[in-house]
């Protein structure tokens, strides 16, 4: 037995005031050498003489007012009469346990009767053995039932736990930790409040039952504990002592859950099978019905009695007599019961068909004790059987009208029956076909292609056979058929014949062949298309690798085709392309593969090419073939070709690289003046085709008015109002369509076009901001991104000044966004540029903050007004702890610097809630709006204003 855990005394005094009679009596008891306690009706200690103090080690002040259970956990019943000495177990202040002899008598000093306990320590061997045996039995009993006990002396705040409790919770005693708080910490967080509520109810004297709570042991294992407790109250109704038990009911809970699951499965099985069961006890005469039986009868279990007579009430009168006769025979044991069917008539007149089965249950002596049975709702089955019979009758008349051939074929392949459609399909009469086999009518190439699968089907390894093959009709014509066959067996599983459904799919096969041709060939020129050419090139590369050879890929683009097509029309262009295709094929020969990739692009594959001169000779032949004008619509049209050549394996180890490099070489030929061929080399590798095309179109995009701005709202997170916008550049090219910014911004940055484009963005954004104010919108902050090259441009300040002057927008409303990388590059010059911009009254923001390497000391050099948290840190909030920490740090840094903090890329309410809780000032992202045109933004602003109240201007 472990020592009790002692805590500090409670900060209140429970000692009752002694009366005069008690004072006189205790004066006489004080001088006795025997330990004496005086207790009131609630078994609270009213007096303890000096031997008690010596015997138990408590100060007298600690005992007065305390419950006697503080000394004796198992309290003897208070005795008004004298009682003989009894052995009891006691516990001293130091936690040691001992046996005592206790003699009880009564004492009447006033209105309240008192008990006097004379206590002697039982030092005999018998007492110690009794005490040890009692404790051992208690511990063993608690271990077996996984039970632990505890007590809590509220006056001294002393706790005691049994060995079983420590063992159950797998903890060691700790005199420096409060046991209740220790246990509470183990309890599942969702159960702690309920447990604490129960404790308070016990203190208040309110009745409580057992409570089941979940705990987690130190090893992480979860257990279910049932706790019980009660309190002892003093005369004033105050709780002075609590006792209780904890029992591990995890296994019982698992068993209970399993039983419930089994019962649920049993009920679900009955429901799905529509089988109800019942029982009639022959001894008591009582009946029981399952829930499914009530459902079959559509009766309420609370309203409809379970009895054979009640069931008969729902049986059709014509079937009742037979059921009663059968039950009588089963009851007396004169005859067995065979399953029978009865018609049920339910409330409202609805009918069902039920199949009934009875069985007699007997005891060990062979005497009948009960009749049990099942009732199976077979209404749906009987209905389906009736439908099946009707269906079979219809089938016999339908198969002759079916638009497919149907035949019965013996295992030896001979036709034994066929419908009229089969005869019409093959051209044979019924008698003629029944003299033939499936092999007799099969195409010579397809005669045995289903033999193996048919054998597997006959052996049972396959359930059916599906195939497509060719049949030869009586007139010699070949047709394609789709066959689906399944074996027909007798009750013993013996194969009788195959049932085959034969469909004429010749039109589909013809169409598929045409589709296959169109899928692999260019319809205009008849040449292989990109898909087929790619497959052929892949095969050529594999062969070259296997044979250590090489092949050449030639890309051809016509130089003046667009002029002809636009001038003379598409029909003329088509004729030109067909003639060019013929010339290319003639020039490279039949051994080469020529394909059209689309538009005016052709490719040629030279397999097993000897060397570069051989490829060059082929390219030169193609150029020569283009020299002669093409006569189209009475016009002599002249076109030339730009040709790029790539060789395998030196110019590309695999297909995609080889094609890309040939394409790049072709664009180099165009750059070299067209009407020539160029071989691929590593020098031209960086010049990707996409970049060249983009740069070509980008050059004139500004002059052609292809740029536009879209605007994304910024939201004040505290009020929910739109407080500003960011202007975002968009490019729509007539040929390329919408080009994303990340595809052309870097190109514009490299070739310097970003400066005039950025100047246009500044003017357009400021003009739009002023236009919105003229429409009645309040002044809104307008954020514009600056590129690195634009930030370094000496004319930036002049551009900003002109944009503000021409638009009339206030400088304080314009916010220019730069990145950390821009301020880290030549930091002194960057700081000077920032100061010039700030002097204009314009706000300055650092965009994508957190992705660069700026330090606090460097940031302090820049007169920034806003930090924008990069969207990469927002994307996984609030699940990513690292992103949470970085975001919190940036917000804290912004607060420390006294600047505005904006989070961009906010797309979920969880992200918004996190940013709001961390004090972020503004947010921007798809959660509120995607970038939109000016008119859409006005509608968005008005809707936002109506939801959030009157909007205010930027402060």
């Amino acid at each position: 037995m472990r020592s009790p855990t002692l805590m500090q005394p409670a900060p209140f005094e429970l000692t009752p005031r002694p009366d005069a009679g008690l004072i006189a009596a205790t004066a006489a008891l004080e001088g006795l050498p025997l330990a004496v306690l005086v207790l009131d009706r609630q078994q609270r200690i009213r007096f303890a003489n000096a031997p008690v103090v010596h015997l138990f080690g408590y100060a007298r002040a600690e005992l007065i007012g305390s419950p006697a259970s503080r000394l004796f956990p198992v309290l003897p019943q208070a005795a008004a009469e004298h009682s003989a000495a009894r052995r009891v177990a006691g516990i001293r202040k130091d936690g040691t346990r001992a046996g005592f002899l206790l003699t009880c008598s009564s004492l009447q000093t006033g209105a309240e009767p008192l008990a006097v306990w004379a206590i002697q320590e039982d030092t005999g061997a018998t007492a110690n053995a009794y005490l040890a045996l009692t404790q051992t039995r208690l511990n063993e009993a608690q271990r077996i039932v996984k039970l632990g006990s505890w007590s809590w002396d509220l006056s001294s705040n002393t706790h005691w736990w049994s060995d079983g409790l420590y063992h159950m919770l797998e903890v060691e005693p700790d005199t420096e930790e409060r046991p209740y708080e220790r246990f509470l910490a183990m309890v599942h967080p969702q159960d702690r409040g309920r447990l604490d509520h129960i404790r308070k109810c016990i203190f208040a004297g309110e009745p409580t039952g057992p409570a089941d709570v979940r705990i987690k042991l130190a090893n992480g294992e979860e257990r279910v504990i049932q706790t019980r407790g009660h309190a002892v109250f003093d005369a004033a109704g105050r709780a002075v002592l609590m006792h209780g038990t904890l029992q591990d009911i995890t296994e019982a809970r698992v068993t209970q859950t399993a039983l419930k699951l089994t019962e649920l499965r049993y009920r679900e099985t009955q429901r799905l099978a529509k089988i109800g069961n019942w029982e009639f006890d022959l001894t008591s005469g009582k009946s029981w019905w399952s829930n499914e039986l009530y459902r079959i009868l559509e009766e309420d279990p609370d309203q409809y009695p379970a009895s054979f007579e009640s069931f008969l009430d729902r049986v059709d009168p014509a079937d009742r007599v037979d059921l009663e006769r059968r039950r009588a025979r089963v009851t007396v044991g004169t005859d067995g019961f065979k399953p029978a069917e009865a018609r049920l008539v339910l409330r409202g007149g609805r009918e069902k068909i039920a199949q009934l089965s009875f069985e007699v249950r007997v005891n060990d002596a062979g005497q009948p004790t009960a009749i049990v049975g099942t009732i199976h709702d077979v209404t749906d089955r009987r209905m389906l059987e009736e439908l099946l019979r009707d269906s079979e009758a219809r089938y016999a008349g339908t198969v002759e009208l079916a638009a497919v051939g149907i035949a019965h074929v013996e295992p030896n392949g001979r036709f034994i029956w066929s419908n009229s459609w089969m005869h019409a399909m093959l051209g044979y009469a019924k008698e003629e076909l029944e003299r033939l086999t499936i092999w007799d009518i099969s195409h010579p190439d397809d005669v045995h292609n289903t033999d193996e699968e048919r054998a597997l089907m006959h052996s049972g390894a396959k359930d059916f056979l599906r195939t497509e093959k060719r049949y030869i009709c009586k007139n010699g014509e070949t047709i394609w058929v789709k066959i689906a066959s399944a074996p027909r067996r007798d009750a013993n599983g013996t194969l009788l014949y195959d049932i085959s459904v034969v469909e004429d799919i010749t039109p589909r096969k013809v169409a598929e062949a045409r589709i296959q041709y169109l899928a692999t060939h260019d319809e205009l020129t008849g040449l292989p298309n990109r898909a087929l050419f790619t497959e052929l090139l892949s095969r050529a590369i594999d062969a070259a690798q296997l044979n250590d050879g090489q092949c050449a890929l030639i890309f051809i683009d016509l130089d003046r085709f667009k002029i002809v097509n636009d001038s003379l029309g598409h029909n003329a262009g088509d004729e030109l392309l067909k003639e060019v295709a013929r010339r290319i094929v003639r020039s490279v020969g039949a051994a080469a593969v020529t394909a059209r990739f689309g538009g005016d692009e052709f490719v040629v594959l030279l397999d097993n090419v000897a060397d570069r001169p051989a490829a060059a000779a082929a390219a030169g032949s193609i150029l020569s073939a283009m020299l002669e004008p093409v006569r189209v619509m009475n016009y002599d049209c002249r076109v030339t070709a730009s040709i790029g050549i790539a060789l395998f394996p030196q110019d590309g180890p695999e297909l995609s690289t080889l094609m890309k490099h040939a394409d790049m070489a072709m664009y180099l030929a165009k750059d070299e003046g067209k009407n020539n061929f160029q071989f691929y080399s590593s020098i031209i590798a960086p010049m990707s085709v996409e970049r060249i095309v983009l740069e070509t179109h980008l050059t004139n995009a500004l002059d052609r008015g292809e740029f536009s701005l879209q605007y994304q709202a910024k939201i004040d997170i505290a009020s929910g109002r739109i407080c500003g916008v960011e202007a975002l550049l968009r490019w729509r090219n007539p040929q390329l369509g919408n080009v994303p910014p990340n595809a052309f911004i870097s190109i514009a940055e490299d070739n310097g076009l970003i400066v005039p484009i950025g100047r246009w963005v500044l003017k357009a954004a400021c003009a739009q901001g002023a236009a919105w104010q003229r429409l009645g919108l309040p002044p809104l902050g307008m954020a514009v991104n600056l590129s690195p090259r634009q930030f370094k441009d000496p004319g930036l300040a002049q551009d900003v000044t002109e944009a503000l002057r021409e638009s009339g927008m206030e400088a304080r409303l314009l916010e220019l966004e730069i990145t950390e990388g821009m301020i880290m590059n030549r930091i002194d010059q960057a700081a000077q540029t920032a100061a010039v911009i700030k002097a204009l009254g314009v706000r300055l923001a650092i965009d994508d903050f957190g992705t660069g390497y700026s330090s606090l000391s460097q940031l302090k050099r820049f007169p920034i007004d806003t930090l924008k948290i990069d969207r990469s840190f927002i994307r996984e909030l609030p699940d990513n702890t690292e992103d949470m920490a970085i975001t919190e740090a940036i917000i804290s840094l912004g607060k420390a610097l006294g600047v505005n903090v904006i989070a961009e890329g906010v797309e979920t309410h969880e992200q918004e809630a996190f940013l709001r809780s961390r004090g972020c000032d503004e947010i921007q992202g798809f959660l509120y709006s995607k970038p939109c045109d000016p008119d859409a933004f006005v509608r968005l602003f008005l809707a936002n204003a109506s939801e959030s109240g009157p909007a205010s201007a930027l402060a």
Side-chain angles (χ1 to χ4, degrees):
M1 174 67 71
R2 293 182 175 87
S3 300
T5 304
L6 302 179
M7 306 304 295
Q8 294 298 321
F12 50 79
E13 182 60 59
L14 297 174
T15 306
R17 179 178 297 173
D19 56 32
L22 177 60
I23 294 174
T26 56
L29 298 174
E30 180 65 37
L32 294 178
L34 184 67
V36 177
L37 289 176
V38 178
L39 288 81
D40 58 18
R41 184 176 297 173
Q42 287 75 33
Q43 291 190 338
R44 282 197 159 277
I45 300 174
R46 300 291 298 278
F47 168 77
N49 66 359
V52 172
V53 173
H54 174 73
L55 189 60
F56 288 92
Y58 284 98
R60 196 190 306 264
E62 291 179 292
L63 294 174
I64 302 304
S66 299
S69 60
R70 188 171 190 178
L71 305 180
F72 305 104
V74 181
L75 296 174
Q77 194 152 14
E81 304 294 336
H82 293 275
S83 65
R86 69 186 74 180
R87 286 188 173 91
V88 296
I91 181 169
R92 295 186 174 93
K93 182 176 181 180
D94 61 6
T96 60
R97 296 180 177 273
F100 298 91
L101 294 175
L102 181 63
T103 305
C104 301
S105 60
S106 61
L107 176 65
Q108 188 73 38
T109 62
E112 180 183 14
L114 301 174
V116 179
W117 290 359
I119 307 167
Q120 290 180 291
E121 185 170 10
D122 188 356
T123 59
T126 301
N128 292 333
Y130 169 77
L131 182 63
L133 179 60
T134 300
Q135 188 62 51
T136 299
R137 288 174 175 172
L138 177 61
N139 289 340
E140 184 64 17
Q142 289 193 355
R143 185 188 64 79
I144 292 174
V145 299
K146 296 185 178 181
L147 183 74
S149 57
W150 55 271
S151 64
W152 184 1
D153 187 335
L154 300 175
S155 62
S156 63
N157 206 14
T158 303
H159 296 259
W160 172 83
W161 284 7
S162 70
D163 279 358
L165 184 55
Y166 281 108
H167 179 75
M168 182 197 311
L169 301 181
E170 298 183 3
V171 297
E172 296 293 333
D174 188 349
T175 58
E176 297 181 0
E177 183 177 1
R178 298 177 66 85
Y180 176 70
E181 284 74 5
R182 165 190 274 183
F183 174 67
L184 194 63
M186 300 172 69
V187 174
H188 192 284
Q190 295 180 355
D191 295 345
R192 291 174 187 168
R194 178 161 54 89
L195 186 64
D196 205 50
H197 173 72
I198 292 173
R199 179 180 67 86
K200 293 177 181 178
C201 290
I202 294 175
F203 283 172
E206 299 175 5
T208 62
D212 297 347
V213 297
R214 295 162 292 174
I215 67 169
K216 180 177 285 188
L217 303 180
N219 62 6
E221 180 183 2
E222 287 194 358
R223 310 291 292 176
V224 180
I225 301 296
Q226 188 173 83
T227 175
R228 299 172 183 265
H230 69 278
V232 176
F233 299 88
D234 60 14
R238 294 176 297 182
V240 295
L241 180 69
M242 286 186 66
H243 293 290
T245 61
L246 298 178
Q247 186 172 15
D248 187 342
I249 62 169
T250 306
E251 285 74 19
R253 178 66 66 85
V254 171
T255 301
Q256 183 183 38
T257 302
L259 287 174
K260 288 182 178 179
L261 181 59
T262 300
E263 181 180 359
L264 176 62
R265 288 171 176 168
Y266 169 73
R267 290 183 178 180
E268 284 298 299
T269 300
Q270 285 202 344
R271 183 183 65 81
L272 294 173
K274 295 185 178 181
I275 297 178
N277 65 310
W278 56 270
E279 180 176 332
F280 175 64
D281 191 314
L282 296 174
T283 303
S284 65
K286 295 182 178 179
S287 295
W288 170 87
W289 290 0
S290 70
N291 289 338
E292 185 57 27
L293 179 51
Y294 278 106
R295 274 193 288 268
I296 291 173
L297 298 178
E298 299 180 6
E299 296 289 352
D300 185 351
D302 296 330
Q303 304 294 329
Y304 200 72
S307 68
F308 187 75
E309 289 71 21
S310 299
F311 176 72
L312 285 179
D313 288 342
R314 292 290 172 259
V315 176
D316 189 286
D319 297 337
R320 289 180 190 171
V321 176
D322 182 59
L323 286 182
E324 288 179 320
R325 177 176 54 82
R326 289 170 177 267
R327 186 191 69 153
R329 287 204 304 268
V330 171
T331 302
V332 298
T334 60
D335 191 9
F337 177 81
K338 297 180 180 179
E341 287 189 0
R343 291 163 294 175
L344 306 179
V345 182
L346 309 182
R347 296 181 187 272
R350 201 160 74 87
E351 293 186 357
K352 289 185 177 181
I353 302 175
Q355 189 177 73
L356 293 77
S357 297
F358 295 175
E359 183 178 292
V360 178
R361 182 187 297 158
V362 298
N363 58 19
D364 294 339
Q367 298 172 331
T369 59
I371 304 176
V372 297
T374 61
I375 296 177
H376 186 189
D377 182 356
V378 295
T379 307
D380 294 340
R381 185 205 300 174
R382 294 294 176 262
M383 185 181 299
L384 289 174
E385 289 172 351
E386 182 63 28
L387 292 173
L388 179 60
R389 284 190 291 271
D390 183 59
S391 175
E392 288 175 345
R394 289 196 304 269
Y395 171 78
T398 302
V399 290
E400 288 299 323
L401 301 176
V404 292
I406 302 174
H408 295 173
V409 181
E410 288 184 325
N412 61 9
R414 186 169 301 281
F415 292 97
I416 59 175
W417 179 88
S418 54
N419 69 347
S420 58
W421 193 274
M422 189 79 171
H423 308 148
M425 184 191 311
L426 297 174
Y428 290 101
K430 179 177 182 299
E431 296 76 12
E432 292 177 317
L433 189 59
E434 290 177 0
R435 290 194 295 267
L436 301 175
T437 67
I438 57 175
W439 298 289
D440 293 332
I441 64 172
S442 294
H443 189 279
D445 295 337
D446 299 343
V447 170
H448 299 291
N449 63 358
T450 60
D451 289 358
E452 184 177 349
E453 287 189 85
R454 194 164 179 264
L456 290 173
M457 182 179 68
H458 290 168
S459 69
K462 292 187 64 172
D463 295 330
F464 52 84
L465 177 152
R466 287 196 180 100
T467 189
E468 294 180 357
K469 62 184 299 184
R470 287 165 289 180
Y471 274 170
I472 304 298
C473 299
K474 183 178 179 179
N475 62 6
E477 180 186 355
T478 300
I479 64 172
W480 274 96
V481 293
K482 181 171 73 173
I483 303 172
S485 295
R488 176 76 169 89
R489 303 178 188 274
D490 62 16
N492 298 321
T494 302
L495 177 64
L496 300 176
Y497 52 84
D498 296 340
I499 302 175
S500 297
V501 177
V502 183
E503 180 184 358
D504 185 352
I505 60 170
T506 307
R508 193 197 80 190
K509 283 293 186 178
V510 172
E512 286 178 353
R514 176 62 178 166
I515 292 172
Q516 177 64 26
Y517 177 82
L518 294 177
T520 57
H521 289 76
D522 175 48
E523 187 174 12
L524 177 66
T525 64
L527 296 176
N529 62 9
R530 180 186 294 268
L532 179 57
F533 183 84
T534 301
E535 181 180 347
L536 296 175
L537 176 60
S538 178
R539 293 178 187 177
I541 290 175
D542 292 340
Q545 288 177 327
L546 183 63
N547 301 319
D548 196 23
Q550 65 178 356
C551 56
L553 181 62
I554 300 176
F555 262 46
I556 307 165
D557 186 86
L558 303 184
D559 296 326
R560 293 171 47 82
F561 173 75
K562 190 175 184 303
I563 298 175
V564 176
N565 199 56
D566 292 346
S567 303
L568 302 181
H570 294 296
N571 291 336
D574 290 346
E575 291 300 320
L576 176 62
L577 290 173
K578 287 191 286 186
E579 177 58 25
V580 167
R582 287 190 288 267
R583 293 185 181 187
I584 294 175
V585 171
R586 286 197 301 268
S587 63
V588 297
V593 178
T594 304
R596 182 189 176 205
F597 264 23
D600 58 354
E601 290 184 340
F602 295 84
V603 289
V604 173
L605 169 61
L606 299 179
D607 198 6
N608 294 322
V609 68
D611 48 24
R612 287 170 65 96
S621 178
I622 295 171
L623 292 176
S624 298
M626 297 295 115
L627 293 178
E628 183 180 352
V630 179
R631 188 70 176 177
V632 177
M633 297 179 66
N634 297 320
Y635 289 95
D636 288 333
C637 300
R638 297 182 181 275
V639 292
T640 58
S642 296
I643 298 176
I645 307 172
L647 299 178
F648 174 86
Q650 54 266 46
D651 292 337
E654 40 80 29
L655 185 146
S656 60
T657 304
L658 192 67
M659 292 181 69
K660 181 176 70 174
H661 288 170
D663 199 29
M664 294 171 64
M666 181 268 292
Y667 273 96
L668 179 61
K670 284 187 176 292
D671 289 343
E672 293 297 323
K674 304 177 184 180
N675 193 25
N676 70 94
F677 65 84
Q678 297 290 331
F679 281 91
Y680 171 80
S681 69
S682 58
I683 299 175
I684 65 171
M687 300 177 61
S688 69
V689 174
E690 293 82 4
R691 183 181 178 91
I692 295 173
V693 172
L694 284 175
E695 188 167 6
T696 300
H697 288 279
L698 187 63
T699 302
N700 300 312
L702 188 60
D703 295 336
R704 293 172 179 171
E706 295 176 1
F707 291 115
S708 63
L709 294 183
Q710 290 192 335
Y711 302 87
Q712 188 173 37
K714 297 181 181 180
I715 307 297
D716 180 83
I717 199 167
S719 65
R721 296 172 177 170
I722 294 177
C723 58
V725 294
E726 180 179 3
L728 300 171
L729 180 63
R730 296 293 184 262
W731 177 25
R732 179 174 180 79
N733 179 269
Q735 284 78 40
L736 305 178
N738 291 320
V739 183
N742 59 358
F744 69 88
I745 292 296
S746 59
I747 298 177
E749 184 76 12
D750 291 342
N751 61 21
L753 287 174
I754 195 67
V755 174
I757 293 174
R759 185 181 301 119
W760 176 86
V761 171
L762 270 173
K763 293 184 178 182
C766 292
Q768 186 59 63
W772 281 334
Q773 292 186 51
R774 290 192 296 272
L775 288 176
L777 270 64
L780 294 173
M782 176 69 70
V784 176
N785 290 278
L786 294 181
S787 73
R789 191 158 186 166
Q790 190 179 8
F791 186 64
K792 296 176 183 177
D793 184 61
L796 175 61
Q798 182 63 30
D799 292 341
V800 173
T801 301
E802 289 182 6
L804 292 173
R805 177 178 54 79
E806 292 176 5
S807 65
M809 190 175 79
E810 297 177 71
R812 67 186 183 90
L813 298 178
L814 179 61
E815 187 173 74
L816 300 180
E817 296 185 0
I818 59 176
T819 64
E820 284 186 86
M822 292 161 63
I823 65 174
M824 292 297 296
N825 184 15
R826 301 180 66 179
I827 190 169
D828 293 332
Q829 181 179 347
Q832 182 179 0
T833 302
V836 172
I837 293 175
K838 192 65 179 175
L840 299 175
V842 174
R843 296 170 62 85
L844 196 62
I846 295 184
D847 193 15
D848 301 334
F849 187 75
T851 59
Y853 300 92
S854 60
S855 65
L856 182 60
S857 61
Q858 293 165 340
L859 287 177
K860 290 170 62 178
R861 298 184 57 184
F862 289 83
I864 60 174
D865 303 281
T866 301
L867 290 181
K868 292 192 71 174
I869 306 173
D870 185 70
R871 66 180 66 246
S872 63
F873 302 123
I874 306 300
R875 186 177 300 115
E876 295 183 11
L877 291 181
D879 300 319
N880 188 302
T881 55
E882 183 177 352
D883 289 345
M884 289 172 58
I886 293 174
T887 302
E888 289 176 345
I890 294 175
I891 294 174
S892 299
L893 175 61
K895 299 299 182 184
L897 294 174
V899 300
N900 198 41
V901 179
I902 303 177
E904 58 182 353
V906 178
E907 297 182 359
T908 68
H909 291 288
E910 290 79 6
Q911 294 169 350
E912 177 200 29
F914 174 85
L915 295 166
R916 183 189 302 276
S917 66
R918 298 310 190 272
C920 184
D921 300 307
E922 297 174 18
I923 56 179
Q924 179 181 344
F926 285 5
L927 179 61
Y928 285 94
S929 75
K930 295 182 178 180
C932 57
D933 59 46
D935 293 338
F937 176 78
V938 172
R939 293 191 294 270
L940 175 68
F941 181 89
L942 295 177
N944 173 264
S946 64
E947 292 174 356
S948 306
S952 61
L954 179 69

